[in-house]
Amino acid sequence: EMELSTPLRNYSLNHGEFTGRNFSNKTWVTCNFPWSTFTDCSFQETKLTACFFDFSLFVNCSFTQCEARYSVFAGCRFINCTFGNSLLLHSNFIGINASMTDFSHSDLYYSTFTSSSLEQVLFEDCNMKHTDLTYSRRRDVSFKYSNIEEEKL
């Protein structure tokens, strides 16, 4: 079982399986979890710096008040997840497939959602300055109260 020491640095695990794990209030730096599955996990108030979760699956996960900087979630699938009140700066969400996921009240400055499929996703009251959603497919997506003037749609 993975050691939950904090900060966790330079840890790598391909195809990891995590169910019901509490990763809250942890600090992870340059960690890699590609092709992993996270079900019913909590990342509340977790700090992720330059972490890679490429092509991972997140089901019923909470990233509330998470701070992710320069982290990569490219190609991930998010089902019923929340990133509410999070700081997601310069993060890569390219090609994600998200449904019933909530990014409300978050700072998404310079984050990229290019070529993503978004269904029933909330971006309400977010800072979306320089956020890129070009070529994304959006169904039932709300940008209510978000600043989208400098966002690329």
Side-chain angles (χ1 to χ4, degrees), residues 2 57 63 66 79 103 132:
M2 184 177 116
L57 170 65
F63 292 84
C66 179
I79 301 169
F103 289 90
D132 189 349

Side-chain angles (χ1 to χ4, degrees), residues 22-149:
N22 185 0
F23 301 118
S24 297
N25 297 299
K26 304 294 180 196
T27 299
W28 292 359
V29 181
T30 58
C31 293
N32 296 292
F33 293 93
W35 300 98
S36 293
T37 300
F38 297 86
T39 305
D40 299 315
C41 292
S42 176
F43 294 87
Q44 292 187 52
E45 297 184 45
T46 298
K47 289 181 172 55
L48 305 170
T49 304
C51 290
F52 293 80
F53 296 91
D54 313 61
F55 305 105
S56 289
L57 170 65
F58 295 89
V59 180
N60 303 324
C61 291
S62 173
F63 292 84
T64 302
Q65 294 181 308
C66 179
E67 188 176 308
R69 296 171 187 268
Y70 305 101
S71 291
V72 177
F73 297 91
C76 285
R77 176 88 172 99
F78 295 97
I79 301 169
N80 196 37
C81 293
T82 180
F83 286 85
N85 295 297
S86 292
L87 196 60
L88 307 171
L89 307 179
H90 294 271
S91 288
N92 176 339
F93 292 91
I94 293 173
I96 67 165
N97 186 328
S99 60
M100 298 174 295
T101 293
D102 190 355
F103 289 90
S104 294
H105 311 289
S106 293
D107 190 342
L108 299 164
Y109 184 70
Y110 267 106
S111 286
T112 307
F113 293 82
T114 308
S115 301
S116 293
S117 176
L118 308 171
E119 184 172 341
Q120 295 179 350
V121 175
L122 301 177
F123 291 101
E124 296 186 349
D125 195 26
C126 291
N127 174 22
M128 301 196 75
K129 189 167 185 175
H130 300 293
T131 301
D132 189 349
L133 284 109
T134 53
Y135 306 111
S136 62
R137 292 174 307 288
R138 300 183 296 276
R139 193 170 139 229
D140 222 3
V141 174
S142 174
F143 297 102
K144 188 175 183 179
Y145 305 122
S146 293
N147 64 326
I148 56 173
E149 295 76 28

